[in-house]
């Protein structure tokens, strides 16, 4: 019996210790990944007009604001093209129950390890389709590596980050350099969002 | 009613473990108390680890702890193995309660709080694994975040915190550490609720079991220390990682699934677990009514109050004009276990249909039906015990009682007076009674003078108590044969030798001690 409980206890302890470090190979580790992740504020288009005297008269005194406004949020899309594949358009969902929270992008694409041509466009589709930022680059990835494409802090250019960049404490300058077209678009975009035309006119502002 | 398949399977496993450890030290019988003891081990080792853990450098600080060959390494291993062992103990405890149908009625509170405790233990464990911030933590955190993001609760997707866009902030580890410390406090409070309806809850196992479990885990932590996994790298998919098979077993399963089927499965399992008290209740038997008290017969001795395993009996002032107090059953707490039946010398208490007077009526019918001689051994046991199997296999004379713990000693006396040569009472193992302390009280009533004790006029040498579950039929059969041989030897003694001097002395002694109380 003494041998019995020693053997049982040893077996149980070994089983616990072995299962506490159960080896597992996650599926997809032999692949590489392209990850798109960033957060950006939305541009809302707000149309305001003065209230008429009749409207003001119908309202209680404390609710008589001089203007009535309606705001409209644009839709955003991510257009991805990897190598020669056809463009993949992803509708970006705005955060929050009302869809009025900042927009969060988190997309992943599994790719083969090696060198790939990657084209990315961030598109705002309001009255007109505007390319807010774009990236046309060539990346080289190893198996198990995740290459991150993100928007810079100013929100006006897309850039590439890899594990090596993070270890080096920065981003890949060559890969992260946006082309000329990006700068032009962004400048235009910023100018557009700064536009102010008085209280009764249509205006856009950041949420 | 025959025991269910789950109970039979459990009894078979118990029988094997009893062979190795004996029924007294069988760790499976102490599973609930072991879980509590391991929580204390976790708190002790956790406090040590907390001294060295740094929120600003989680992985590096754990690696430094692991580098302390004489202390940190094995304490970290013990912390981890104890958490795994806690989960095993909790699972065994829950299965025991389910298989023994000890989850319905007033015990539903213990079951439901137990389900909540399992949830808290899992949450606490996950938070602990994430604190290490190694490849295992990375997989666990990203998977939990992915599942949580499907539920529209958070204003920002949690998964973005682990996208590699920026370093995981210290605040994340602070919140995780806070949870890892706060959750065990909640577990402590919930354990209090868990045992609220139990009299004399056993929160710690017997010392040999306690030190045996803790010592074995500490030994394995020294002999086979936990390795450090690679540090988490959010821009790299781990190639091979050692995951905890107890807390993270689900990660490989759910990673390939979309979140909603996982949530549906979690919800279904939780609801099923919560519904166990209601699902098991109707299958048990036609439910006994709560115990009632015959106030005219009650002497106010308070023995039933002391014996009730669920604190369901209280003493109140008499209402029949006499002085003193009388027992009153709080029906909302009574599980109809019948332990009080065996505790009452004047047979004044018990659930309807299984009172001591009902038991005596059944014994009289049994004696009338059987032709008992001095050579006969009558086995007394419940339908869930090995006694039933012994009767079926070897044709033993069996008197079935609802529960040996609820058996009044007068039934044994009546069997002996009815001509039986011996009475072999078959009860549950002491630490595994379906009615908790029932079999312990019965042993004390039969042989140690506990009220309502076996009277001196019954020869105690002709009575034996065997604790054997339905998986220990062979052991019971050996005990029956041995007892039969002893009865034969007793029958062959002369009239003078047959006098039970030991029993008489014991009886006088217990009477003296009662007079002294």
């Amino acid at each position: 019996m003494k041998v019995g409980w020693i053997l049982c206890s040893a077996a149980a302890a070994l089983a616990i210790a072995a299962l506490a470090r159960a080896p597992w190979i996650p599926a997809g580790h032999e692949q590489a990944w392209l990850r798109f992740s960033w957060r950006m504020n939305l541009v809302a288009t707000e149309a305001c007009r003065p209230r008429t005297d009749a409207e003001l008269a119908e309202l209680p005194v404390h609710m008589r604001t001089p203007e009535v406004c309606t705001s409209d949020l644009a839709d955003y899309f991510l257009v991805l093209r990897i190598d020669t594949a056809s463009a993949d358009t992803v509708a970006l969902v705005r955060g929050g129950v009302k869809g009025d929270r900042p927009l969060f992008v988190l997309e992943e694409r599994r790719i083969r390890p090696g060198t790939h041509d990657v084209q990315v466009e961030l598109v705002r589709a309001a009255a007109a389709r505007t390319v807010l930022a774009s990236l046309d680059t060539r990346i080289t990835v190893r198996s198990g590596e995740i290459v991150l494409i993100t928007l810079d802090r100013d929100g006006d250019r897309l850039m590439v980050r890899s594990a090596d960049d993070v270890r080096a404490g920065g981003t890949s300058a060559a890969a992260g350099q946006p082309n000329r077209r990006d700068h032009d678009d962004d400048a235009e975009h910023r100018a557009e969002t700064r536009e102010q035309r008085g209280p009764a006119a249509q205006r856009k502002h950041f949420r | 009613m025959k025991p269910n398949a789950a109970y039979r399977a459990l009894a078979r496993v118990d029988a094997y473990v009893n062979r190795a450890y004996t029924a007294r030290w069988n760790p499976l019988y102490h599973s609930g108390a072991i879980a509590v003891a391991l929580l204390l081990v976790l708190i002790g080792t956790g406090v040590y680890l907390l001294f060295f853990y740094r929120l600003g450098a989680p992985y590096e600080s754990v690696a430094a702890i692991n580098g302390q060959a004489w202390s940190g390494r094995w304490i970290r291993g013990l912390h981890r193995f104890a958490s795994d062992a806690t989960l095993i103990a909790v699972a065994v405890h829950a299965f025991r309660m389910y298989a023994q149908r000890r989850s319905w009625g007033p015990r539903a509170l213990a079951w439901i709080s137990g389900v909540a405790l399992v949830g808290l233990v899992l949450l606490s464990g996950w938070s602990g694994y994430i604190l290490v911030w190694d490849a295992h933590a990375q997989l666990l955190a990203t998977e939990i975040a992915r599942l949580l993001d499907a539920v529209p609760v958070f204003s920002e997707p949690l998964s973005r915190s682990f996208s590699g866009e920026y370093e995981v902030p210290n605040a994340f580890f602070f919140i995780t550490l806070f949870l890892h410390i706060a959750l065990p406090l909640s577990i402590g409070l919930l354990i209090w609720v868990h045992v609220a309806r139990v009299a004399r809850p056993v929160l710690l196992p017997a010392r040999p079991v306690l030190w045996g479990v803790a010592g074995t885990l500490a030994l394995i932590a020294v002999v086979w220390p936990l390795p450090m996994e690679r540090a988490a790298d959010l821009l790299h998919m781990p190639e091979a990682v050692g995951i905890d098979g107890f807390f993270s077993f689900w990660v490989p399963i759910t990673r390939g699934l979309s979140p909603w089927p996982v949530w549906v499965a979690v919800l279904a399992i939780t609801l099923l677990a919560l519904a166990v008290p209601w699902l098991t209740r109707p299958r048990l038997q036609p439910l006994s009514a709560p115990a009632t008290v015959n106030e005219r017969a009650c002497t106010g001795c308070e023995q039933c109050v002391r014996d009730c395993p669920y604190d369901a009996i209280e003493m109140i002032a008499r209402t029949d004009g006499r002085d003193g107090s009388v027992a009153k059953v709080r029906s909302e707490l009574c599980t109809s276990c019948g332990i009080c039946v065996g505790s009452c010398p004047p047979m004044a208490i018990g659930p309807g249909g299984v009172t001591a007077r009902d038991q005596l009526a059944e014994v009289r019918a049994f004696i009338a039906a059987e032709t008992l001689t001095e050579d006969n051994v009558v086995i007394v046991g419940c339908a869930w015990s090995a006694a039933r199997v012994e009767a079926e296999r070897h044709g033993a004379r069996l008197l079935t009682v609802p529960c040996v713990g609820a058996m009044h000693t007068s039934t044994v006396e009546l069997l002996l007076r009815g001509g039986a040569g011996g009475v072999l009472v078959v009860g549950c193992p002491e630490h595994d009674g379906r009615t908790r302390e029932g079999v312990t009280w019965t042993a004390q009533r039969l042989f140690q003078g506990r009220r309502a004790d076996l009277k001196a006029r019954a020869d105690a040498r002709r009575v034996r108590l065997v604790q054997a579950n339905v998986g220990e039929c062979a052991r019971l059969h050996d005990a029956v044969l041995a007892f039969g041989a002893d009865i034969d030897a007793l029958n062959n003694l002369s009239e003078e030798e047959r006098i039970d001097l030991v029993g008489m002395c014991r009886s006088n002694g217990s009477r003296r001690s009662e007079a002294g109380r």
Side-chain angles (χ1 to χ4, degrees):
Chain A
M1 196 203 79
K2 194 173 182 181
V3 175
W5 75 256
I6 290 172
L7 285 177
C8 283
S9 303
L14 282 171
I16 289 173
L19 273 170
R21 62 192 95 190
W24 177 51
I25 299 172
H29 76 279
E30 69 287 353
Q31 299 280 311
W33 300 77
L34 203 53
R35 179 181 288 162
F36 305 89
S37 174
W38 64 84
R39 177 189 201 267
M40 59 183 282
N41 290 323
L42 297 174
V43 177
T45 307
E46 200 169 65
C48 297
R49 65 171 176 77
R51 289 188 190 279
T52 61
D53 291 340
E55 282 174 335
L56 287 170
E58 282 177 10
L59 290 171
V61 175
H62 69 282
M63 291 176 69
R64 288 177 188 168
T65 51
E67 287 184 338
V68 58
C69 299
T70 54
S71 64
D72 187 26
L73 290 165
D75 293 325
Y76 291 81
F77 298 93
L78 198 60
V79 183
L80 314 173
R81 184 178 288 118
I82 300 170
D83 298 327
T84 54
S86 56
D88 182 8
T89 304
V90 180
L92 302 179
V93 181
R94 293 188 291 261
V97 176
K98 294 179 186 171
D100 57 351
R101 305 290 300 157
L103 188 139
F104 306 102
V105 177
L106 185 59
E107 285 288 323
E108 282 188 343
R109 292 289 182 277
R110 190 182 289 200
I111 53 176
R112 279 178 291 102
T115 302
H116 298 273
D117 291 322
V118 179
Q119 288 176 288
V120 189
E121 282 184 348
L122 175 62
V123 177
R124 181 162 65 90
R129 186 176 182 277
T130 313
V131 177
L132 301 178
S134 69
L135 180 74
D136 187 351
T137 189
R138 173 167 286 188
I139 57 165
T140 302
V141 282
R142 295 184 291 270
S143 61
E145 194 179 351
I146 299 166
V147 171
L148 176 73
I149 295 179
T150 186
L151 205 62
D152 75 345
R153 282 182 188 276
D154 296 330
D156 55 8
R157 63 180 189 134
L158 290 167
M159 54 191 186
V160 178
R161 291 180 83 189
S162 66
D164 293 338
D165 298 328
V166 173
R167 276 190 282 275
T171 55
S172 168
Q177 198 63 249
N179 58 31
R180 187 67 217 161
R181 186 164 57 87
D182 297 336
H183 282 297
D184 292 342
D185 286 345
D186 293 344
E188 189 180 306
H189 167 61
R190 279 198 299 275
E192 187 183 39
T193 53
R194 284 196 202 111
E195 207 172 8
Q196 296 287 330
R197 292 181 194 162
Q202 187 183 64
R203 66 179 176 229
K204 297 184 175 76
H205 64 96
F206 286 106
R207 281 272 173 105
Chain B
M1 189 192 67
K2 289 184 181 181
N4 55 61
Y7 182 76
R8 286 198 300 272
L10 180 68
R12 207 162 293 137
V13 173
D14 281 341
Y16 283 119
V17 179
N18 280 346
R19 280 187 209 166
Y21 292 90
T22 73
R24 193 175 180 197
W25 309 126
N26 182 343
L28 300 183
Y29 293 159
H30 301 269
S31 50
I34 286 175
V36 177
L38 286 172
L39 282 173
L40 296 178
V41 171
L42 285 167
I43 290 169
T45 52
V47 167
Y48 177 87
L49 298 175
L50 192 61
F51 282 127
F52 298 95
Y53 186 77
R54 284 189 293 134
L55 292 171
Y59 180 81
E60 291 75 10
S61 58
V62 176
I65 292 168
N66 217 48
Q68 301 169 1
W70 293 102
S71 53
R73 186 179 299 167
W74 72 266
I75 289 176
R76 175 177 170 249
L78 177 58
H79 192 71
R80 178 100 163 243
F81 298 152
S83 68
D84 292 333
T86 303
L87 214 52
I88 297 172
V90 166
V92 170
H93 183 62
F95 184 72
R96 296 199 82 82
M97 296 302 112
Y98 165 76
Q100 296 176 343
R101 296 291 189 262
R102 291 164 68 181
S103 57
W104 57 272
R107 288 168 288 205
L109 176 69
W111 179 270
I112 289 167
S113 58
V115 173
L117 277 169
V118 172
L120 288 180
V121 167
L122 286 173
L123 284 175
S124 183
W126 293 331
S127 60
Y129 289 111
I130 288 172
L131 283 174
V132 182
W133 205 233
D134 57 3
H136 175 212
Q138 178 187 342
L139 288 168
L140 195 59
T142 51
E143 187 57 14
I144 290 173
R146 186 181 75 91
L147 296 176
L148 286 175
D149 283 342
V151 186
V153 173
F154 301 99
S155 60
E156 293 193 21
L158 291 178
S159 296
R160 279 199 62 256
S161 306
F162 310 114
S163 69
E165 196 182 331
Y166 46 81
E167 287 288 308
V168 178
N170 287 357
F172 169 75
F173 294 106
F174 175 78
I175 292 167
T176 309
L177 183 62
F178 174 79
L179 279 177
H180 195 57
I181 294 169
L183 286 171
L185 296 176
S186 317
I187 288 172
L189 282 175
L190 210 53
I191 287 174
W192 176 69
V193 174
H194 190 62
V195 298
R197 289 192 172 173
V198 172
R200 299 170 294 281
V202 181
L203 290 176
L204 287 177
R207 278 186 191 176
V209 178
L210 171 64
W211 292 117
V213 171
T216 307
L217 292 174
L219 189 65
I220 197 73
V222 172
V223 175
W224 195 12
L226 268 178
M228 282 299 291
E229 292 292 330
R230 263 184 29 189
D233 181 351
L234 294 171
L235 292 180
H236 197 275
M237 184 71 70
E239 288 160 16
V241 59
I243 63 166
D244 188 275
F246 298 93
F247 281 87
S248 308
F249 69 92
W250 53 274
V251 175
I253 302 167
T254 59
R255 262 172 73 90
L257 301 172
S258 73
W260 282 113
V262 178
W263 280 116
V264 169
V266 169
L267 194 67
I269 291 168
T270 308
L271 289 176
L272 196 65
L274 289 172
V276 161
W278 290 272
L279 294 176
T280 53
R281 184 183 169 108
R283 291 179 200 164
L284 183 72
Q285 59 188 30
L287 292 174
S288 299
T292 53
V293 178
N294 178 349
E295 188 172 341
R296 201 163 55 87
C298 177
T299 61
C301 71
E302 299 187 15
Q303 188 62 41
C304 55
V305 178
R306 282 192 283 273
D307 285 3
C308 178
Y310 300 102
D311 268 344
I313 307 173
E314 59 187 348
M315 300 303 293
I316 59 166
R318 303 194 78 100
T319 58
D320 58 1
R322 288 190 285 167
D323 290 337
S325 55
V326 65
K328 179 179 181 291
V329 177
R330 296 167 66 189
S331 56
E332 75 278 10
L333 299 181
C334 178
T335 64
S336 311
C337 68
I339 299 299
C340 51
V341 174
S343 68
C344 187
M347 305 181 188
I349 190 169
V354 288
T355 62
R357 292 172 203 283
D358 295 320
Q359 289 177 15
L360 290 179
E362 281 186 29
V363 173
R364 284 192 195 95
F366 178 81
I367 292 169
E370 304 276 341
T371 313
L372 298 176
T373 67
E374 225 178 19
D375 298 329
N376 294 140
V377 169
V378 175
I379 298 178
V380 180
C382 73
W384 288 55
S385 72
R388 183 183 54 78
V389 182
E390 175 69 16
E392 285 172 3
R393 287 186 189 163
H394 303 287
R397 291 164 192 269
L398 172 69
L399 174 67
T400 307
V401 292
C403 173
V404 161
M407 181 191 71
H408 200 282
T409 50
S410 295
T411 58
V412 174
E413 185 185 339
L414 188 56
L415 280 169
L416 291 175
R417 285 168 54 195
V423 177
L424 186 75
V425 181
V426 184
C428 305
E430 187 176 349
H431 298 288
D432 191 42
R434 283 202 306 126
T435 49
R436 295 194 65 225
E437 297 147 322
V439 74
T440 308
W441 297 161
T442 297
Q444 292 180 9
R445 286 166 192 155
L446 288 173
F447 307 114
Q448 292 169 26
R450 188 185 185 91
R451 280 180 185 150
D453 56 335
L454 184 65
K455 300 302 172 198
R457 53 184 176 259
D459 187 349
R461 291 173 301 176
R462 293 181 180 277
V463 183
R464 190 162 293 176
L465 175 71
V466 176
Q467 296 180 355
N469 69 32
V470 75
E472 295 174 304
C473 299
R475 193 166 73 80
L476 175 62
H477 186 61
D478 292 343
V480 171
L481 294 178
F483 186 51
D486 289 349
I487 295 299
D488 286 343
L490 206 58
N491 290 340
N492 292 331
L493 294 175
S494 64
E495 283 297 318
E496 192 178 343
E497 287 172 318
R498 283 193 189 191
I499 297 170
D500 180 13
L501 292 172
V502 175
M504 287 171 72
C505 290
R506 186 203 70 219
S507 175
N508 287 337
S510 67
R511 261 185 224 120
R512 271 199 297 275
S513 66
E514 267 185 42
R517 274 206 289 264

